[in-house]
């Protein structure tokens, strides 16, 4: 899923923190349901708790590399209270029975410069019941756009070799990807300055 040229209300100027905090767009999933991709908010803690309650231990392990299932108030604050400068977090929200439900989320954390390259680590978590609908790819598309507008030139990620779905999200994104196997994971480096392939 390439990101070049997709419509955004912010394309006419470089995005600043206020733009990102208010970021919200509507996309369609592979089953044609509308989904809102928006910036996470401090008042999303209840929705995040619901998501974490629904996600399988396997999905959590693929995201956190731990089997942790109990999240403290500090954990939830760290998840939902981000600065939108060094950390940018987006969630996918579906409406069901008149209520919002977070089906997944993705974020990048700026890891500082590598030479002259601004780099950030990116990761995702999607509710098992909604995997395979393109949620991670959709969130990734918007994270790429925001990162480019924020001066980030590279994304990196650590992915378990068994997490084939996440590896496909990165390799099918249309941006140049380099993979390097380590003892426990696959290190992915993505060049956000490269020409999109799709």
């Amino acid at each position: 899923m390439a990101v070049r040229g997709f419509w955004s209300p912010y394309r006419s100027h470089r995005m600043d923190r206020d733009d990102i905090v208010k970021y919200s767009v509507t996309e369609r999933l592979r089953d044609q349901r509308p989904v809102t991709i928006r910036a996470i908010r401090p008042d999303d803690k209840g929705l995040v708790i619901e998501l974490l309650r629904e996600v399988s231990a396997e999905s959590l392990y693929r995201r956190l590399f731990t089997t942790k299932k109990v999240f403290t108030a500090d954990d939830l604050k760290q998840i939902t209270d981000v600065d939108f400068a060094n950390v940018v977090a987006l969630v996918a929200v579906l409406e069901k029975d008149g209520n919002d439900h977070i089906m997944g989320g993705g974020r990048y954390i700026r890891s500082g410069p590598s030479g002259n390259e601004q780099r950030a680590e990116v990761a995702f978590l999607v509710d098992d019941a909604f995997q395979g609908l393109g949620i991670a790819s959709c969130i990734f598309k918007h994270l790429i756009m925001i990162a480019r507008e924020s001066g980030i030139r590279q994304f990196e990620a650590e992915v378990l070799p068994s997490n084939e779905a996440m590896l496909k999200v990165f390799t099918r994104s249309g941006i140049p990807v380099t993979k390097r196997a380590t003892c426990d994971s696959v290190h992915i480096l993505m060049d956000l300055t490269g020409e999109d392939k799709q």
Side-chain angles (χ1 to χ4, degrees):
M1 182 182 299
V3 300
R4 183 174 300 281
F6 81 93
W7 183 86
S8 166
Y10 307 113
R11 294 299 291 174
S12 61
H13 70 285
R14 188 174 179 86
M15 291 179 70
D16 60 24
R17 181 184 177 279
D18 290 339
D19 292 326
I20 303 170
V21 168
K22 296 181 289 189
Y23 193 84
S24 181
V25 295
T26 300
E27 295 272 9
R28 289 208 173 265
L29 299 178
R30 288 181 184 144
D31 63 4
Q32 296 305 305
R33 273 181 292 180
V35 61
T36 300
I37 306 297
R38 65 163 173 80
I40 201 165
R41 301 189 297 242
D43 62 1
D44 283 331
K45 290 181 179 66
L47 297 179
V48 169
I49 290 171
E50 290 177 14
L51 169 64
L52 294 173
R53 191 179 295 136
E54 295 297 321
V55 169
S56 69
E58 181 182 3
S59 290
L60 272 178
Y61 185 77
R62 286 178 172 174
R63 167 62 178 86
L64 303 173
F65 286 48
T66 179
T67 55
K68 177 175 184 171
K69 275 297 269 186
V70 177
F71 293 86
T72 66
D74 285 344
D75 291 332
L76 291 170
K77 181 176 173 60
Q78 185 176 6
I79 291 170
T80 58
D81 294 7
V82 301
D83 63 14
F84 292 101
N86 294 310
V87 181
V88 171
L90 302 179
V91 289
V93 181
L94 283 175
E95 185 180 318
K96 182 180 178 184
D97 301 325
N99 296 311
D100 285 347
H101 295 272
I102 292 178
M103 300 298 116
R107 67 182 52 213
Y108 69 72
I109 301 172
R110 197 183 293 262
S111 54
S114 172
N116 292 325
E117 307 291 321
Q118 282 289 334
R119 185 179 289 189
E121 185 171 358
V122 65
F124 302 86
L125 179 66
V126 176
D127 184 348
D128 295 59
F130 292 87
Q131 292 177 11
L133 295 176
I135 289 175
S137 294
C138 196
I139 293 171
F140 189 43
K141 175 176 74 170
H142 292 279
L143 285 176
I144 290 171
M145 192 277 289
I146 292 170
R148 283 173 165 166
E149 293 287 322
S150 301
I152 291 173
R153 301 168 65 85
Q154 294 178 323
F155 272 163
E156 60 183 342
E158 293 294 332
V159 183
L160 290 172
S162 61
N163 194 352
E164 295 179 6
M166 197 70 255
L167 291 170
K168 286 179 182 176
V169 168
F170 295 137
T171 57
R172 293 177 177 175
S173 66
I175 60 175
V177 172
T178 303
K179 293 187 284 187
R180 178 173 53 84
T182 64
C183 57
D184 299 315
S185 64
V186 179
H187 181 79
I188 309 289
L189 188 63
M190 295 156 270
D191 182 6
L192 304 189
T193 67
E195 193 71 20
D196 294 340
K197 299 175 185 176
Q198 299 176 0

